[in-house]
């Protein structure tokens, strides 16, 4: 069941967030946790579905609304600036505050955490994981931005990623992520699905995006999505849930 919460921030403000927990009583050690980072569209129904999906697979999942810390336009501008410059900014700080809040719950094992992001959130998930935050054991990067400088990812945890071969804007980032992980010797599972485009893993309804972002071939591709989700949870189950 979803719950709406407020995540406290160091500056005295707070983030709106949505939490979903697995059914039943938490194990004595606590559930493994997952921070979900939303697409550029914000907290839409498809991102809430991701939170539910994580909970169904046994993870306590939290989705922070990165646009709730100030005005939506201002938050989006800051997010785009961070992605463009590669320098940590408020979005990364907000993700870290969410991670700390999740790890501090009595029903969550703060030493067994993962982070998963999509589109804009995929780039943030990767950048955040590269900062080696405490307890984060794996990151899922889905059609997100990958830095050109592989040294920026030297400290990243194991990475699972999924990209669309028809996504003319981001497919090169999938290939770059593969190359960086191999060169750095970091355990990874990154796939590029030839028949898929951008945002192929979630059932989003963004009609404007399908028109305005035509080169990205935006939209759900069920066979690729099912396989990508299978790989993603297999990776998290190995590196996060079963971590001792």
């Amino acid at each position: 069941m979803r719950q709406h919460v407020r995540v406290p921030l160091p500056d005295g403000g707070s983030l709106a967030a949505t939490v979903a927990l697995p059914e039943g009583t938490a194990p004595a050690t606590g559930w493994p946790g997952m921070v979900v980072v939303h697409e550029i569209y914000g907290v839409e129904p498809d991102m809430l579905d991701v939170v539910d999906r994580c909970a169904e697979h046994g993870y306590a999942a939290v989705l922070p609304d990165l646009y709730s810390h100030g005005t939506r336009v201002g938050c989006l501008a800051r997010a785009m600036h961070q992605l463009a410059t590669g320098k940590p900014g408020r979005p990364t700080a907000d993700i870290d505050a969410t991670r700390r809040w999740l790890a501090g719950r009595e029903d969550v094992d703060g030493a067994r955490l993962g982070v998963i992001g999509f589109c804009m959130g995929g780039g943030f998930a990767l950048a955040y994981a590269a900062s080696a935050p405490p307890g984060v054991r794996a990151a899922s990067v889905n059609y997100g931005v990958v830095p050109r400088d592989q040294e920026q990812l030297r400290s990243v945890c194991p990475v699972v990623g999924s990209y669309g071969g028809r996504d003319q804007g981001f497919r090169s980032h999938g290939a770059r992520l593969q190359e960086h992980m191999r060169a750095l010797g970091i355990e990874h599972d990154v796939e590029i699905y030839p028949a898929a485009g951008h945002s192929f893993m979630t059932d989003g309804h963004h009609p404007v995006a399908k028109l305005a972002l035509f080169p990205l071939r935006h939209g759900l591709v069920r066979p690729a999505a099912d396989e990508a989700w299978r790989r993603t949870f297999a990776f998290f189950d190995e590196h996060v849930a079963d971590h001792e």
Side-chain angles (χ1 to χ4, degrees), residues 9-82:
L9 299 173
D11 65 2
S14 65
L15 283 177
T18 303
V19 177
L21 303 177
E23 291 186 1
T25 303
T29 57
W31 285 303
M34 194 82 73
V35 177
V36 181
V37 190
H38 59 69
E39 295 180 322
I40 194 171
Y41 310 112
V43 178
E44 294 287 329
D46 51 343
M47 292 294 101
L48 294 171
D49 289 343
V50 171
V51 176
D52 292 342
R53 186 188 291 263
C54 291
E56 290 168 1
H57 279 79
Y59 295 85
V62 56
L63 168 68
D65 183 352
L66 300 181
Y67 298 158
S68 66
H69 190 187
T71 67
R72 184 180 181 90
V73 173
C75 291
L76 179 58
R78 285 189 291 270
M80 293 301 97
H81 177 74
Q82 180 175 328

Side-chain angles (χ1 to χ4, degrees), residues 171-192:
R171 65 186 177 194
S172 63
H173 289 263
R176 184 184 300 162
L177 184 57
Q178 290 174 328
E179 294 168 2
H180 286 353
M181 296 298 95
R182 290 175 187 141
L184 294 170
I186 295 170
E187 190 166 355
H188 65 283
D189 176 3
V190 179
E191 291 288 341
I192 301 173

Side-chain angles (χ1 to χ4, degrees), residues 37 66 79-80 82-83 91-92 95 119-129:
V37 190
L66 300 181
M80 293 301 97
Q82 180 175 328
L83 285 178
T92 294
I95 293 169
C119 179
M120 178 190 77
F124 285 144
L126 181 62
Y128 180 64

Side-chain angles (χ1 to χ4, degrees), residues 67-216:
Y67 298 158
S68 66
H69 190 187
T71 67
R72 184 180 181 90
V73 173
C75 291
L76 179 58
R78 285 189 291 270
M80 293 301 97
H81 177 74
Q82 180 175 328
L83 285 178
T85 63
K87 298 178 180 179
R90 181 178 287 181
T92 294
D94 288 348
I95 293 169
D96 189 59
T98 304
R99 190 270 312 165
R100 285 187 278 109
W101 178 87
L102 182 64
R105 289 181 60 107
E106 293 184 355
D107 53 3
V108 173
D109 183 351
R112 293 189 299 154
L113 303 175
V115 58
I116 182 171
F118 303 84
C119 179
M120 178 190 77
F124 285 144
L126 181 62
Y128 180 64
S131 70
V136 175
R137 304 294 180 179
S140 176
V141 183
N142 304 293
Y143 27 91
V145 171
V146 178
R148 293 183 181 276
D149 182 3
Q150 70 181 31
E151 287 301 312
Q152 294 183 31
L153 301 180
R154 181 164 293 279
S155 298
V156 80
C157 55
V159 172
V160 58
S162 299
Y163 288 77
R166 300 180 70 221
D167 182 348
Q168 295 181 29
F170 289 85
R171 65 186 177 194
S172 63
H173 289 263
R176 184 184 300 162
L177 184 57
Q178 290 174 328
E179 294 168 2
H180 286 353
M181 296 298 95
R182 290 175 187 141
L184 294 170
I186 295 170
E187 190 166 355
H188 65 283
D189 176 3
V190 179
E191 291 288 341
I192 301 173
Y193 293 92
H198 198 70
S199 295
F200 73 90
M201 287 177 66
T202 57
D203 191 10
H205 300 285
H206 309 298
V208 174
K210 291 182 179 180
L211 295 175
L213 306 181
F214 177 73
L216 304 187

Side-chain angles (χ1 to χ4, degrees), residues 32 34 54 56-59 112 138 160 229-244:
M34 194 82 73
C54 291
E56 290 168 1
H57 279 79
Y59 295 85
R112 293 189 299 154
V160 58
W229 279 114
R230 184 199 65 75
R231 290 176 35 255
T232 298
F233 281 113
F235 198 86
F236 278 130
D237 288 347
E238 176 183 356
H239 294 281
V240 178
D242 294 335
H243 177 73
E244 298 181 357

